[in-house]
Amino acid sequence: MMKKNIFAPFLIALLLFLPSCGPETAAPKNDVDLETVASELAKSSSFEEQLNRVDNKFALKLYDISNASAVCLYTGSGATADELALFEFENEDDAKGAVKSAQARIDAQKESFAGYLPKELPKLDSAVIKTYGHYLVICVCTDSNMEDMIKKFFE
C-alpha cells in the first residue's frame, strides 16, 4: 500500500507536464518596438528605392485608421509602390478589424498605379497584409521572402 502512495505524486507530475511536450507554436510577441522593426525592415534590399518615415497623423489618415495606439509608416517617393506600415492596437480584434482598411489602401494604390506605372501592380497584388496578435503589418515590395522576414520580429 505504501508503494502506491509513493508513485502517486510522480504520476500526477508526469500527467501535468505531458501537455507541454510536442511541437511549440509561437505566440505573437506583445512588446514589439515598431520604430526599430520598421527602420530595420525599411533598410533592407527588398525595396527598390529608399523609404522615408511618414508623419504618424498622415499615416493614420492615409490608411483611414483611427484606433491604433502606435503607427510607423515608410513610403517611397511615389515612383514605386514600395511601402511599409506597422500598426499597434489595444487588442487583437482591433488589429483584425483594420485589415479591411489596409486592403482598401492597397486597392486604391492599384487603381492609382494602373494608370501611370502598371509595372508596380505585381507588387501590389502580392502585398503582405498580416496581423500578429495586436499588430498589423502591411508591406509592398518585390521580395517574396519579406513575409518571413517580418514574421521573425513578431513571433
Side-chain angles (χ1 to χ4, degrees):
M1 181 107 160
M2 187 68 160
K3 286 184 181 180
K4 287 183 183 178
N5 288 337
I6 291 174
F7 292 111
F10 294 114
L11 182 59
I12 291 170
L14 180 65
L15 290 174
L16 289 174
F17 290 111
L18 273 179
S20 65
C21 296
E24 289 186 30
T25 56
K29 293 180 183 176
N30 289 322
D31 58 349
V32 175
D33 180 359
L34 292 187
E35 293 289 337
T36 302
V37 173
S39 175
E40 204 164 316
L41 289 171
K43 291 176 189 173
S44 78
S45 61
S46 300
F47 301 99
E48 285 186 50
E49 64 177 331
Q50 180 180 343
L51 300 183
N52 298 301
R53 181 77 161 83
V54 175
D55 175 72
N56 288 353
K57 286 182 183 179
F58 182 72
L60 293 170
K61 185 175 181 177
L62 193 63
Y63 276 87
D64 193 27
I65 292 175
S66 60
N67 61 337
S69 55
V71 60
C72 198
L73 172 64
Y74 282 78
T75 64
S77 65
T80 69
D82 292 358
E83 189 165 295
L84 175 65
L86 290 84
F87 295 89
E88 181 177 4
F89 296 89
E90 292 297 321
N91 57 60
E92 196 171 327
D93 289 338
D94 287 348
K96 288 180 180 176
V99 168
K100 190 175 182 178
S101 294
Q103 187 60 57
R105 164 72 178 153
I106 298 300
D107 292 343
Q109 288 290 81
K110 285 180 185 179
E111 280 185 37
S112 176
F113 278 97
Y116 73 99
L117 279 173
K119 71 177 184 78
E120 293 297 302
L121 293 177
K123 279 191 225 178
L124 291 160
D125 287 335
S126 62
V128 174
I129 302 174
K130 184 88 173 150
T131 59
Y132 298 93
H134 64 281
Y135 297 99
L136 170 64
V137 179
I138 302 99
C139 183
V140 179
C141 69
T142 55
D143 190 347
S144 61
N145 295 318
M146 183 54 109
E147 189 170 352
D148 292 332
M149 290 173 47
I150 292 168
K151 189 185 296 187
K152 290 176 185 176
F153 288 99
F154 291 92
E155 293 183 343

